[in-house]
Amino acid sequence: MLRVYNTLTRKKEEFQTLEPKVVKMYVCGVTVYSDAHIGHAMSAIVFDVVRRYLEYRGYSVHYVMNFTDVDDKIINRANQKGMDPQVLAETYIQAYRKNLEDLNVLAATANPRATQEMPQIIRMIEGLIEKGFAYPAKNGDVYFRITKDPEYGKLSGRRIDDMQAGSRIEIEEEKEHPMDFAIWKAAKPGEPAWDSPWGKGRPGWHIECSAMNLSHLGEQIDIHGGGNDLIFPHHENEIAQSESFTGKQFARYWMHNGMLQLQGEKMSKSLGNLVTIDDFLARHEADALRMMVLNGSYRAPLSYSDEIMDAAERGLDRLRSALKPAPAGAVGAAAELRNTLDRQTEAAQQTFVEAMDDDFNSSGGLAALFELVRAVNTARDAGATDAQLKPAQDTLKTLTGVLGLRLGEKKASGGDADKFIGLLVEVRNEARKQKNWALSDLIRDRLKELGVAIEDNKDGTIWHW
RNA sequence: GGCGUCGUGGCCAAGUGGCUAAGGCAAGGGUCUGCAAAACCCUCAUCAUGGGUUCAAAUCCCAUCGACGCCUCCA
């Protein structure tokens, strides 16, 4: 039984979908005005793992992730660079797509963008006005009337009165209540603008997600995800808009990932303490970032450091150690040992599922995989052949695949080179027979410089890139 | 000030009432090896602090200290 922690109730709840075996899932994407950093990557990876695991458990997942392609920051940035805001946004959308692909994040079912949803957004605003949940102001803005929504604050656990007290928000005269938020913003000169019943303008940030959910997934969805910095005000406002508009519960489960921190602070564009995904990938493989995320729990903050990355990379090496082939001369393992391996494989798979079923406990899932790694390596040491190792290794590959790890399956690593390396290994073994250690060590050392590792086992020599 | 998350070995981290407190990294010892490497085996924590509840608590309650996030754009 899958259990999911729901921000709305602050509890783990049994996961039940609106429709059997179908999951409608919406994750807030990024505002595209600069290069994405590894905090964004963490969020993308977290929800990619959720999606992959749900699919592994037999669900068909409709996964929607949006791009916010019109907002103040994009406009400012574009003006600085003397570019058209839409061109700027498009550039970063393509860059982010590439980042996600490099990170082995599965493509979403749909990637809607605010600028392509104007009719739906405007229709929704009209509906909210009709129902009295929103009002147009004299300045051309349209605001959501939070006092009309008795449940406002239920996601973030805030009360309107509390917020008023400590609020640092500038009180705009056009607003009925200081906490009312804009769902349509009147255009200032030179800004991108769309026609609307309230004059030229553009949508507020929150309304686009509500509208895109409605048009791409329907009135109700199963999972809504994003970083926990979005809980307030973004997701709170989304709930207010969507539920006021439809009169129905919007998302059943709200999932939020913790923030990636650098030197004790949240990594963010505004603070400037960030590592871009491109920077990261120039120094590490994509799996390493994923491994780092998987080792923790998605809801907790995660500190990024070289030490953590080092541990993650070594952990990956360990997972890969089980996928190495048996030595050429392997004689085969006894029946009893093969049974043990089968049993351990079964147990690992079961433990993996139990852990992941508990709110996607990936570090628990990894622990099960490491147990399997030990089992495989022990069997290989005991003489198991490739054929005997295969079922366990296949299981390991399947389960690491559920986590989205590739484990460096470098395609056609050497191509033709493999044959020549095999030949060198053969020659080296001849030298070893003749106790020509100088020559055999030379071959080993030189191959190592070329990135080929040689391991002499009892039953023969293994080499790998 | 308000809301929320959290504090487990050198580091990361699971576990949230009861068998010997998962797993990974690092460290030390050992097996194997011509030497290595890899693998395997062994060793390494009483759970921030102080009270309380209970037959029994890392796990529940209270307090204290500390960290982080949100309350303003933010994954």
Side-chain angles (χ1 to χ4, degrees):
Chain A
M1 183 185 80
L2 178 60
R3 287 155 52 82
V4 175
Y5 181 87
N6 190 353
T7 306
L8 197 57
T9 56
R10 315 266 172 210
K11 280 190 303 228
K12 284 182 194 172
E13 296 175 8
E14 185 178 339
F15 184 67
Q16 288 177 324
T17 53
L18 295 159
E19 285 173 49
K21 289 290 149 194
V22 174
V23 176
K24 294 180 179 181
M25 181 169 173
Y26 184 97
V27 176
C28 285
V30 293
T31 300
V32 281
Y33 70 93
S34 66
D35 287 322
H37 59 71
I38 55 179
H40 300 116
M42 174 185 173
S43 187
I45 288 169
V46 162
F47 291 104
D48 183 57
V49 171
V50 168
R51 183 249 186 100
R52 285 172 186 265
Y53 185 68
L54 289 171
E55 289 180 345
Y56 174 70
R57 294 291 259 129
Y59 293 97
S60 164
V61 181
H62 300 293
Y63 188 94
V64 175
M65 190 197 74
N66 72 302
F67 288 115
T68 296
D69 62 349
V70 56
D71 100 325
D72 288 342
K73 295 201 168 176
I74 297 173
I75 294 167
N76 293 341
R77 188 73 186 265
N79 287 343
Q80 273 171 25
K81 293 187 150 192
M83 284 174 77
D84 178 75
Q86 290 312 302
V87 174
L88 180 90
E90 183 63 29
T91 307
Y92 286 115
I93 285 173
Q94 294 315 325
Y96 192 54
R97 281 219 158 101
K98 173 76 165 49
N99 284 159
L100 294 181
E101 195 183 316
D102 290 344
L103 291 168
N104 201 27
V105 170
L106 293 173
T109 317
N111 289 119
R113 310 179 191 184
T115 57
Q116 295 173 355
E117 306 274 331
M118 285 304 156
Q120 293 90 319
I121 291 171
I122 289 170
R123 213 174 304 137
M124 192 164 197
I125 295 173
E126 284 176 324
L128 286 168
I129 293 173
E130 277 166 31
K131 295 182 185 194
F133 287 105
Y135 56 94
K138 282 183 228 140
N139 61 5
D141 287 356
V142 178
Y143 297 110
F144 185 88
R145 181 178 278 133
I146 59 160
T147 48
K148 172 84 176 169
D149 176 6
E151 297 196 309
Y152 190 77
K154 68 177 177 182
L155 179 69
S156 54
R158 290 156 209 262
R159 289 180 309 163
I160 294 172
D161 298 344
D162 288 344
M163 289 188 285
Q164 247 183 306
S167 175
R168 280 177 278 166
I169 294 176
E170 285 179 50
I171 296 176
E172 288 178 41
E173 298 197 352
E174 303 290 340
K175 291 183 182 180
E176 291 177 4
H177 186 284
M179 294 299 294
D180 285 352
F181 56 90
I183 57 182
W184 186 262
K185 294 180 173 182
K188 298 186 191 99
E191 287 184 350
W194 287 260
D195 287 321
S196 83
W198 318 284
K200 282 194 170 287
R202 58 193 162 91
W205 177 36
H206 317 297
I207 195 74
E208 62 172 78
C209 284
S210 286
M212 288 186 247
N213 263 287
L214 196 57
S215 62
H216 288 268
L217 293 171
E219 294 187 328
Q220 296 185 288
I221 65 171
D222 294 293
I223 296 176
H224 193 128
N228 68 14
D229 54 349
L230 298 183
I231 294 172
F232 190 90
H234 185 54
H235 288 165
E236 192 70 72
N237 292 351
E238 263 188 71
I239 293 178
Q241 294 161 349
S242 292
E243 299 194 348
S244 297
F245 183 75
T246 66
K248 294 178 184 167
Q249 181 181 35
F250 175 35
R252 266 207 84 163
Y253 305 93
W254 286 86
M255 296 182 65
H256 293 98
N257 64 277
M259 293 294 103
L260 188 68
Q261 298 179 244
L262 191 63
Q263 286 148 1
E265 273 185 314
K266 170 185 167 186
M267 184 177 289
S268 80
K269 291 180 187 175
S270 8
L271 288 171
N273 60 335
L274 51 80
V275 177
T276 67
I277 295 173
D278 288 333
D279 285 347
F280 178 88
L281 289 175
R283 291 178 50 210
H284 306 277
E285 58 182 316
D287 269 358
L289 187 62
R290 195 175 277 263
M291 191 68 179
M292 181 181 79
V293 171
L294 291 169
N295 183 48
S297 61
Y298 76 89
R299 288 191 277 133
L302 178 60
S303 293
Y304 177 77
S305 69
D306 289 341
E307 293 72 48
I308 295 300
M309 282 317 305
D310 209 45
E313 285 178 330
R314 285 166 186 274
L316 280 175
D317 286 341
R318 176 146 181 82
L319 286 176
R320 279 190 276 251
S321 75
L323 299 180
K324 289 190 239 176
V331 292
E336 194 187 333
L337 199 111
R338 299 205 303 269
N339 289 337
T340 303
L341 184 59
D342 287 347
R343 223 175 38 245
Q344 288 168 321
T345 303
E346 179 70 24
Q349 180 151 17
Q350 200 176 324
T351 308
F352 176 84
V353 169
E354 281 168 16
M356 291 296 286
D357 265 1
D358 182 13
D359 194 33
F360 309 96
N361 179 351
S362 53
S363 67
L366 274 181
L369 300 188
F370 282 118
E371 302 282 1
L372 182 55
V373 165
R374 179 179 297 117
V376 170
N377 286 336
T378 299
R380 187 195 299 101
D381 280 359
T385 60
D386 281 330
Q388 291 168 340
L389 294 177
K390 190 168 188 302
Q393 290 175 324
D394 284 349
T395 298
L396 184 63
K397 281 187 204 164
T398 300
L399 298 181
T400 50
V402 170
L403 298 177
L405 293 168
R406 293 193 187 99
L407 295 186
E409 285 171 18
K410 296 164 189 161
K411 319 136 199 163
S413 52
D416 286 343
D418 287 8
K419 285 184 287 188
F420 296 107
I421 293 163
L423 177 62
L424 277 168
V425 170
E426 210 178 305
V427 169
R428 173 172 170 275
N429 277 335
E430 279 308 310
R432 290 178 67 218
K433 274 185 197 158
Q434 294 163 24
K435 300 198 189 303
N436 186 346
W437 310 128
L439 178 58
S440 60
D441 288 353
L442 178 70
I443 294 173
R444 183 172 64 195
D445 293 345
R446 296 285 287 121
L447 280 175
K448 185 171 183 180
E449 286 168 22
L450 297 172
V452 176
I454 287 198
E455 297 164 16
D456 298 323
N457 288 43
K458 203 187 313 178
D459 299 323
T461 299
I462 297 176
W463 71 266
H464 59 89
W465 290 92

